[in-house]
Amino acid sequence: MADPGVQASIHKNLHTTLPRIYNYYSATRFKKVNLIDRLYPDSKAVEISHWAIPGGVGAWQEWTFQEVVAQNFSPVTVGDSSFGPTWTTHWFKVHFTVPDEWAGSEVRFRWGSNSEAAVWSSDGRILQGLSTGDEGSLRTDYTITRNYVAGSSPFTYYIEMAANKLLGASPGDLIDPPDPNLFFKLTRAEVVRLDSQVYKLTRDLEVIYQLADELIPDQRGYQAMYTANQMVNSIIKGDDSGASDLADQYFAKGNGGRAHTLATIGNCHIDSAWLWPFSETKRKVARSFSSQLKIMEDYPEHIFVASQAQQWAWCKQYYPELFQRIKTKVTEGKFIPVGGTWVEMDGNIPSGESFVRQFLHGQKFYQQELGFTCKEFWLPDTFGYSAQIPALMKHVGLERFLTQKLSWNTVNKFPNHSFVWEGIDGTTVLAHFPPGDSYSMNVKVSEALHSVKNLEDKGRASTSAFLFGYGDGGGGPTQDMLERVRRLADTDGCPRLKIMTPDQFFGRLEADKHNLCRWVGELYLERHNGTYTTQADMKRLCRLAEFKLRDAEFLLSQAITILGPDGAKDLLQQSQEALEEAWKKVMLNQFHDVIPGSGIEIIYPEAERLYQEAIVAALTVWNNAKDVVFGSDGEKTEVAVNTLQWPRTEVVKLTAAQHQEGGADQRVKEGQQYALVEVPPMGSAPAKPVTPPNTVTVEEVDGVFVVDNGVVRAEVNAWGQVISLVVAGDDRDVFRRADGTQLGGNQLVLYDDEPIYWDAWDVMDYHLETPTVLNVEGSGYSVTPVTVVESGPLLVKLRWGVTISASSTFTQDIELSATSPYLTCASSVTWGEDRKFLKVLFDANIHARRASFDVQFGHLERATHMNTSWDTARYEVCGHKWADISEPDWGVAVLNDSKYGWMARGHQLTLSLLRSPKAPDDTADMKDHAFKYAIMPHTGTLQEAEVVRRAYEFNNPLSLLQVPIDKSEWSAVSMNGSGAVLHTIKPAEDGSGDLVLRLYECNAAKTTVTLTLSWDVSSVKVCDGLEVAGEDLPFTQADGVASVRLSLAPFTIHALRISLS
Ligand SMILES: [Zn+2]
């Protein structure tokens, strides 16, 4: 017996009292006697009938709601289990009356199908998403009314059931490839009366239990335990209101002034495609967004943020009625776009220009549709963040950045949660990692406490972000979560949970900015670094599309200068629409589970189609512009077009019929002829063969092929290894050549590649312990030795190959042209491996502590050693078109046309070629591949050797066109001075006929350049990445040529907006 009047439990026994409390609100324990059993005191079955949309993935897009409900629905019952197969769509009509005795009560519809679903009104409005089953992230109830009025029955609703779970359709483990044959069982369809008092007690008991569980042995924790125990006693006695009062008294004890504030922000991370295809994401958006509107009806404090303009655009396109309702809430400041980008893209692989377009089209959509402009870059789940992101953000007017993904690091804990992030050009932005290390918290006491305990910047900042709501597969906050937020708003023992907008949160953080630490360089994710290589075609097509779009925009711009802004109107409008659509396809594919290769099999044919359509659109724009620039009538000749800002002299392949006299002669089989041509900057010239300063020769000496063009001299052994490579006139060999071994360049190396779990994502450090060089004498692999395919004088081509296994072969052409400063290795691979990683290794004779890697609009240096754990963790890093390892006056660069994974360790540089993960797509990369890389020895620094320019050329071959003779020679733009790359010339997005030029400093050095434009220019203004014009720049104009002088700081990004007269 307890002493009379004592309210605490008799025994101070945590091991009995805490489980007792837990069991009293548990959904699995003591079910028949606890609160959960009393939550729905009355229930009633409903009438259900069913109709299935014919077809599988995405078939729902072909049907309107009106068409669906006009179909013949057949009766079904709870317990039926024939709803499938995977990715099909099933519609259910549910009809019921609510008993009059339920008047005054909250009435809900409850559903169970172990799948995703949505509730629709009978007049075709999507009302709320449903997510049921055993994988958590549940949303089983739809609240029909909080106060039923007798006689207002009957009700008819439609349930749209998707035959997939919230996280896809794996039969077992999360990332197992989907089972194409899943069938779902209808486990519940009922209308219920909710006991609101019991609902309140359930949430009260849950939160107080969590406080007890987390805070004991603190005083406040014991208070929680005794309060909750007393509540249980009170409930057992039948005194619910007494129990409720006890809870209210407990929560009324507020925080002291020193409590940390968690800016509580509702969100739902929706992967635009991952373990499901794009078409399912469109529905996930509607389910998630409609659910949030539903919650806002009863929780006016609720604020929900949603990223990815593409998802908002899908909502507008497929759910216009829902979009209108959301717009109202945007106006009220409750439903808030975040991030400013088209999708939450990969943070490493997209080009600098792609990054700018993500913001340009993201913000444009939000401005046009919602009158809203995002003030932060929001990328919580992406696999690492380029060191040029701060400058890219500043370029589009953003200075706030949020992610949490670095909490996934395998080696190092990132030292800050709030910090100043400085990029390669010195630009800084304010960065925040929510210290809960998650974007999908459930508002548990443990999460709130962890957020504060884990916070690396205690005392520096008084507020951190707390992102809650089911995520990845969408969902977002639930009513239960909002109830917990209310209870934890200001409760002693727990940090304050204060609902805020991202703008309010960052505003608070900015006030603390002077206290924050600074991090310089990339935010490297020590994980998921296999994604620079997985699904090779996603990377290859991205690079190709980026360059094709670049070329199309340049030629279109040149056409506008010829037609004049007025004359170009039609061409401009039609081309810009096509280009915008093309960019949106490329940008969608840059989503952080598509381009990294971490999605399921069915995503990739669609993504590939989108890339191909974008490339075709770019070619169409190019062709239409070509007709303006060159005209279409008259005698034709073959011209070479150069879209880069410097003159080029290169060997091209002409059709034999067009081949004119002059130059060196080298026939290609099938009526083609090699020729050396000269082309002016950003312009064209007749493809008139010129005589090369040197010819290229090949000679076999003791089984070694010596290739020499007077620029570089290479020795290739019979196994395709480049055992010597020198710059002509320099005796230093860029590859090591120890006696008795065959070290060198172009070693093809195969590694075991079995990550711990995240197959498509991760390559672990230990794979480096398993190298097998394939093209070395005695490797045991069957090598087809080098043969000479072309022997000069304009091009030498050597061919060799190796059989990797019964299902994989590798063939490579090693080429050197008469003028090229690099040896090109064009590879064709048939690939059928299981968890093997193919790389090419260059064993450089270079002593360097740092290597340089091309990134967006600049390059990044990384250590070649493993001094610190931070260096050690960077065993597979991202780089774009080139990487370089150099001593101060010489070195070697490796260029590539489609690869992103690199390693620089000691004197070795490797380029990652192909992986073969089996989850979540067990067919990933199991196909034929073609890619090129090139090896470029150089004297001087990489800047003096113009590695950046050579890499642009390697990725952007001269175009050969048949055009009328009279307009065959022109040059639109050129630049005097070194160090700047004019990456982009495009029509302004607003259709005014203005042109936007984007350039960047590429040499890590201050420079001044003069831009010469062969156009009639009326004004030159500085502009930002969103093309908003700023100050006027002085320029000179004479005889149709304008000149602008620009001073650029290292790695800075600049845009100019040019109006034509
Ligand atoms: Zn994600």
Side-chain angles (χ1 to χ4, degrees):
M1 245 337 252
D3 289 335
V6 175
Q7 299 289 303
S9 57
I10 302 170
H11 300 290
K12 232 168 137 178
N13 189 346
L14 305 182
H15 304 296
T16 56
T17 311
L18 281 177
R20 178 199 192 200
I21 299 162
Y22 176 77
N23 288 343
Y24 216 72
Y25 71 88
S26 159
T28 52
R29 305 278 301 146
F30 294 0
K31 251 166 133 176
K32 295 288 176 206
V33 292
N34 68 7
L35 282 174
I36 295 298
D37 187 57
R38 294 172 50 205
L39 205 48
Y40 307 106
D42 299 298
S43 73
K44 193 169 171 273
V46 299
E47 289 170 36
I48 329 167
S49 52
H50 162 260
W51 177 76
I53 283 184
V57 177
W60 64 269
Q61 294 168 104
E62 309 299 319
W63 295 78
T64 65
F65 178 83
Q66 284 69 28
E67 286 165 350
V68 166
V69 298
Q71 301 304 312
N72 213 352
F73 282 63
S74 314
V76 290
T77 54
V78 171
D80 280 0
S81 57
S82 55
F83 307 111
T86 316
W87 311 124
T88 55
T89 296
H90 299 263
W91 280 89
F92 298 86
K93 181 179 182 180
V94 296
H95 183 79
F96 52 85
T97 53
V98 174
D100 284 350
E101 305 84 77
W102 295 9
S105 289
E106 178 167 336
V107 175
R108 293 181 173 191
F109 173 73
R110 303 194 77 208
W111 176 260
S113 58
N114 204 27
S115 75
E116 289 204 273
V119 186
W120 290 70
S121 69
S122 55
D123 61 355
R125 286 175 303 128
I126 184 165
L127 299 174
Q128 188 198 285
L130 293 167
S131 164
T132 60
D134 52 14
E135 55 175 358
S137 305
L138 299 183
R139 196 186 301 276
T140 57
D141 294 14
Y142 172 74
T143 300
I144 295 164
T145 170
R146 290 216 150 195
N147 186 2
Y148 181 66
V149 176
S152 48
S153 290
F155 293 93
T156 300
Y157 292 100
Y158 287 85
I159 309 298
E160 180 195 22
M161 190 204 116
N164 55 266
K165 298 176 280 186
L166 192 65
L167 294 177
S170 139
D173 190 77
L174 175 72
I175 63 168
D176 285 348
D179 179 348
N181 221 15
L182 285 186
F183 280 79
F184 292 81
K185 182 178 178 178
L186 189 54
T187 55
R188 175 184 283 138
E190 61 183 3
V191 59
V192 298
R193 183 170 77 82
L194 179 91
D195 186 324
S196 307
Q197 174 80 291
V198 171
Y199 179 75
K200 175 187 181 295
L201 285 176
T202 308
R203 297 285 82 79
D204 286 343
L205 206 55
E206 169 185 69
V207 175
I208 297 176
Y209 168 81
Q210 289 179 6
L211 284 159
D213 196 35
E214 295 293 332
L215 297 181
I216 286 173
D218 283 1
Q219 145 124 331
R220 184 68 172 155
Y222 278 106
Q223 285 173 357
M225 183 177 80
Y226 296 139
T227 300
N229 191 62
Q230 206 53 38
M231 285 173 68
V232 173
N233 289 338
S234 181
I235 292 163
I236 288 169
K237 273 192 214 148
D239 184 7
D240 285 356
S241 69
S244 176
D245 291 345
L246 283 168
D248 294 347
Q249 284 159 25
Y250 181 84
F251 288 123
K253 267 193 201 132
N255 261 300
R258 73 188 186 99
H260 193 76
T261 299
L262 294 174
T264 307
I265 301 171
N267 81 122
C268 72
H269 182 69
I270 308 180
D271 288 319
S272 286
W274 177 32
L275 302 175
W276 52 87
F278 292 126
S279 58
E280 199 52 43
T281 309
K282 296 167 187 173
R283 294 202 285 193
K284 285 176 176 290
V285 169
R287 290 177 202 125
S288 303
F289 286 11
S290 61
S291 298
Q292 298 313 309
L293 290 182
K294 178 73 179 162
I295 291 177
M296 284 174 195
E297 289 174 10
D298 296 316
Y299 295 82
E301 73 273 30
H302 184 36
I303 289 173
F304 178 72
V305 306
S307 64
Q308 314 197 59
Q310 168 72 86
Q311 295 188 0
W312 290 72
W314 279 334
C315 182
K316 179 178 181 240
Q317 181 183 354
Y318 292 95
Y319 302 88
E321 185 277 334
L322 173 64
F323 190 71
Q324 287 306 318
R325 281 188 280 146
I326 290 171
K327 272 173 89 164
T328 310
K329 291 293 173 190
V330 172
T331 312
E332 292 171 14
K334 297 294 180 190
F335 214 112
I336 303 177
V338 284
T341 51
W342 188 247
V343 299
E344 285 185 15
M345 67 284 208
D346 182 86
N348 284 309
I349 296 169
S351 69
E353 192 60 34
S354 284
F355 263 85
V356 174
R357 302 304 171 99
Q358 288 279 355
F359 289 107
L360 178 65
H361 289 289
Q363 296 283 39
K364 185 176 161 187
F365 178 88
Y366 293 134
Q367 285 161 0
Q368 282 182 352
E369 298 295 334
L370 305 164
F372 191 91
T373 305
C374 300
K375 292 186 181 161
E376 68 297 296
F377 184 22
W378 184 276
L379 212 53
D381 191 32
T382 289
F383 312 155
Y385 305 88
S386 161
Q388 185 65 311
I389 285 177
L392 288 160
M393 287 174 59
K394 253 325 194 322
H395 188 57
V396 296
L398 297 178
E399 296 182 27
R400 301 159 163 186
F401 174 71
L402 181 142
T403 184
Q404 62 77 45
K405 198 66 181 182
L406 264 65
S407 65
W408 283 51
N409 274 2
T410 51
V411 179
N412 299 285
K413 185 174 195 293
F414 197 80
N416 300 104
H417 284 98
S418 293
F419 59 102
V420 173
W421 180 20
E422 179 179 323
I424 53 174
D425 73 331
T427 295
T428 59
V429 296
L430 183 60
H432 180 69
F433 300 170
D437 292 345
S438 170
Y439 46 75
S440 52
M441 288 189 282
N442 288 337
V443 197
K444 289 181 188 155
V445 171
S446 57
E447 294 164 343
L449 292 173
H450 174 71
S451 294
V452 173
K453 195 173 168 202
N454 189 41
L455 179 66
E456 292 284 348
D457 305 284
K458 293 184 189 78
R460 296 183 187 275
S462 58
T463 310
S464 307
F466 183 91
L467 307 183
F468 75 104
Y470 295 137
D472 294 326
T478 62
Q479 179 187 355
D480 291 0
M481 294 180 202
L482 266 297
E483 288 287 340
R484 293 195 283 269
V485 172
R486 284 183 174 178
R487 284 161 180 77
L488 295 174
D490 186 14
T491 289
D492 184 24
C494 189
R496 279 200 183 82
L497 263 59
K498 186 167 170 52
I499 290 177
M500 280 186 218
T501 65
D503 188 32
Q504 288 166 336
F505 162 65
F506 274 108
R508 283 195 178 205
L509 197 57
E510 273 158 7
D512 291 327
K513 191 175 171 185
H514 56 281
N515 290 329
L516 301 179
C517 300
R518 179 176 294 226
W519 179 269
V520 178
E522 66 182 322
L523 297 177
Y524 177 80
L525 177 62
E526 295 170 353
R527 220 179 229 288
H528 293 3
N529 35 11
T531 61
Y532 315 144
T533 306
T534 306
Q535 300 279 12
D537 277 347
M538 289 297 105
K539 282 76 168 171
R540 179 179 63 83
L541 291 166
C542 178
R543 181 86 63 88
L544 187 62
E546 287 172 339
F547 271 98
K548 291 296 177 198
L549 286 163
R550 178 189 180 277
D551 286 355
E553 289 176 339
F554 161 64
L555 206 62
L556 175 63
S557 300
Q558 179 64 6
I560 293 167
T561 67
I562 290 166
L563 296 172
D566 288 337
K569 246 177 197 152
D570 289 347
L571 174 72
L572 190 56
Q573 193 194 341
Q574 150 207 347
S575 306
Q576 283 196 295
E577 279 170 15
L579 288 168
E580 178 163 346
E581 283 315 301
W583 268 112
K584 284 178 175 173
K585 289 169 182 172
V586 172
M587 291 189 294
L588 174 58
N589 281 345
Q590 289 170 345
F591 176 74
H592 67 255
D593 283 309
V594 179
I595 201 168
S598 47
I600 57 172
E601 182 184 353
I602 52 172
I603 293 170
Y604 291 103
E606 186 175 4
E608 193 169 329
R609 178 177 58 75
L610 294 176
Y611 272 135
Q612 298 290 5
E613 287 171 1
I615 290 164
V616 167
L619 291 177
T620 306
V621 169
W622 165 274
N623 281 326
N624 293 340
K626 181 194 79 177
D627 290 345
V628 173
V629 172
F630 293 96
S632 44
D633 300 328
E635 194 195 335
K636 298 209 167 146
T637 187
E638 188 153 35
V639 297
V641 181
N642 170 22
T643 65
L644 302 175
Q645 90 216 24
W646 50 88
R648 291 162 72 178
T649 303
E650 292 174 20
V651 171
V652 295
K653 215 187 271 180
L654 299 181
T655 51
Q658 284 296 321
H659 183 243
Q660 302 162 27
E661 290 305 308
D665 217 27
Q666 186 181 346
R667 248 178 63 78
V668 192
K669 56 181 186 275
E670 292 154 17
Q672 285 183 317
Q673 196 95 23
Y674 289 111
L676 183 70
V677 298
E678 286 177 342
V679 199
M682 291 195 142
S684 95
K688 215 160 47 184
V690 296
T691 307
N694 296 293
T695 55
V696 57
T697 58
V698 58
E699 195 185 356
E700 187 180 345
V701 183
D702 298 334
V704 171
F705 297 81
V706 182
V707 188
D708 193 338
N709 69 354
V711 184
V712 297
R713 179 184 180 280
E715 292 180 17
V716 180
N717 71 13
W719 297 278
Q721 282 206 11
V722 181
I723 55 171
S724 168
L725 188 61
V726 297
V727 174
D730 194 294
D731 59 0
R732 292 170 296 186
D733 199 321
V734 297
F735 295 128
R736 300 175 91 81
R737 210 173 172 187
D739 287 341
T741 59
Q742 292 187 333
L743 298 171
N746 207 34
Q747 299 183 47
L748 201 61
V749 191
L750 194 67
Y751 298 84
D752 263 22
D753 183 15
E754 296 180 32
I756 294 166
Y757 178 74
W758 296 99
D759 210 349
W761 294 257
D762 288 357
V763 54
M764 311 312 300
D765 48 0
Y766 52 75
H767 84 284
L768 293 170
E769 298 165 27
T770 64
T772 303
V773 181
L774 304 179
N775 58 334
V776 67
E777 190 173 15
S779 68
Y781 287 82
S782 165
V783 172
T784 308
V786 166
T787 54
V788 179
V789 179
E790 296 280 358
S791 53
L794 288 173
L795 188 86
V796 163
K797 189 187 282 188
L798 310 177
R799 182 167 297 162
W800 68 281
V802 58
T803 301
I804 298 170
S805 71
S807 45
S808 301
T809 54
F810 181 96
T811 308
Q812 187 173 70
D813 288 346
I814 299 178
E815 302 174 2
L816 186 67
S817 80
T819 53
S820 174
Y822 49 73
L823 205 57
T824 296
C825 301
S827 314
S828 309
V829 188
T830 297
W831 188 238
E833 296 305 294
D834 186 345
R835 296 180 173 97
K836 300 284 183 197
F837 198 161
L838 186 68
K839 303 186 185 185
V840 60
L841 185 148
F842 306 93
D843 200 10
N845 185 28
I846 303 286
H847 179 72
R849 299 301 186 206
R850 328 257 321 147
S852 303
F853 300 85
D854 180 39
V855 298
Q856 296 81 357
F857 295 153
H859 63 262
L860 179 67
E861 291 188 344
R862 297 183 176 107
T864 57
H865 54 73
M866 298 191 282
N867 273 6
T868 70
S869 58
W870 297 85
D871 300 322
T872 309
R874 285 177 165 84
Y875 53 83
E876 178 81 10
V877 296
C878 189
H880 288 195
K881 301 181 292 297
W882 57 268
D884 181 278
I885 182 164
S886 288
E887 291 173 16
D889 62 346
W890 77 303
V892 60
V894 174
L895 322 179
N896 76 82
D897 71 347
S898 57
K899 299 297 172 189
Y900 294 86
W902 301 87
M903 183 186 75
R905 276 287 157 86
H907 41 76
Q908 294 186 338
L909 185 66
T910 65
L911 174 64
S912 300
L913 302 177
L914 289 168
R915 295 186 70 220
S916 44
K918 299 302 171 197
D921 174 7
D922 58 5
T923 68
D925 286 320
M926 298 295 102
K927 53 161 90 165
D928 291 347
H929 300 267
F931 49 83
K932 286 184 188 175
Y933 54 85
I935 319 164
M936 176 179 162
H938 61 80
T939 53
T941 60
L942 74 91
Q943 286 86 352
E944 287 159 348
E946 297 191 316
V947 168
V948 173
R949 288 189 174 195
R950 300 296 88 79
Y952 264 94
E953 290 165 1
F954 190 70
N955 279 274
N956 197 303
L958 296 172
S959 303
L960 296 170
L961 305 176
Q962 295 286 334
V963 300
I965 290 171
D966 57 334
K967 291 180 186 166
S968 58
E969 198 153 1
W970 53 273
S971 172
V973 181
S974 62
M975 196 189 288
N976 282 335
S978 64
V981 173
L982 177 55
H983 184 88
T984 304
I985 300 182
K986 71 182 282 291
E989 218 53 37
D990 61 8
S992 60
D994 284 358
L995 300 182
V996 171
L997 275 58
R998 191 166 359 264
L999 61 159
Y1000 69 97
E1001 198 294 313
C1002 71
N1003 280 346
K1006 287 188 181 62
T1007 188
T1008 300
V1009 296
T1010 304
L1011 205 55
T1012 305
L1013 314 165
S1014 303
W1015 306 329
D1016 281 319
V1017 168
S1018 66
S1019 76
V1020 179
K1021 291 180 191 319
V1022 171
C1023 76
D1024 66 6
L1026 303 183
E1027 306 182 356
V1028 177
E1031 57 170 316
D1032 271 295
L1033 284 181
F1035 68 99
T1036 62
Q1037 172 90 51
D1039 303 328
V1041 175
S1043 286
V1044 190
R1045 217 172 130 78
L1046 298 165
S1047 290
L1048 312 176
F1051 291 137
T1052 48
I1053 305 165
H1054 302 262
L1056 305 178
R1057 188 170 170 129
I1058 292 182
S1059 299
L1060 303 166
S1061 0

